[in-house]
Amino acid sequence: MQENTLKIKKPQSKSEQKSTQQDSNPGQQQQQKSIVGMENRSEKEEHKRYLFLGDYVDRGPFSIEVITLLFALHLLYPDKVSLLRGNHESRPVNMQYGFYFECSRRFSPNLYESFQYAFYCMPVCAVVGKRIICMHGGISED
């Protein structure tokens, strides 16, 4: 079994400090794009890193777009964007709050299963600079 803790080095300067984002909502897509550099960035912002704490889905009709954008940003900027698993990144919560139905209705149940595998592989907590532990507040028993 893989370790479920993400280890993040301590920022070297104030400009490298990490920002945390809680509960990503569909209306925050533009904010998420500008945070990590898809929009114009100043030199001061070049060194920022971001840690998202979970709950990327089940927040409205654009959950697929939100999680796909965040996965893409993590792939493009692996040293700047980190994603943790929240309680909405689990099968029981997805079935109850609508992510399964969104995937099935718009695409197929196979897409939902692919997301479940990706969620299962996500770390549940991060340790920043060997001093600060970060995690979502409501991890389910799944």
Side-chain angles (χ1 to χ4, degrees), residues 1 27 31 40-41 44 47-48 51 57 62 68 76 83 93 95 97 109 112-113 118 123 125-127 130 134:
M1 183 167 173
Q31 178 187 5
N40 295 330
R41 293 183 66 167
K44 182 180 173 184
H47 300 291
K48 284 190 176 181
L51 175 62
V57 299
F62 301 106
T68 302
L76 286 170
L83 305 173
V93 177
M95 294 300 276
Y97 288 98
Y112 173 77
E113 292 301 326
C125 69
V127 177
K130 298 182 182 179
C134 301

Side-chain angles (χ1 to χ4, degrees), residues 62-115:
F62 301 106
S63 293
I64 295 170
E65 288 82 358
V66 170
I67 190 60
T68 302
L69 171 64
L70 291 171
F71 280 159
L73 292 172
H74 176 67
L75 291 171
L76 286 170
Y77 306 101
D79 296 332
K80 295 181 189 245
V81 177
S82 301
L83 305 173
L84 299 181
R85 183 180 181 181
N87 65 315
H88 281 263
E89 287 73 53
S90 67
R91 191 175 299 274
V93 177
N94 289 164
M95 294 300 276
Q96 182 176 355
Y97 288 98
F99 187 59
Y100 170 78
F101 299 108
E102 180 182 348
C103 290
S104 298
R105 187 183 77 250
R106 293 178 59 198
F107 296 97
S108 78
N110 291 336
L111 178 65
Y112 173 77
E113 292 301 326
S114 297
F115 276 120

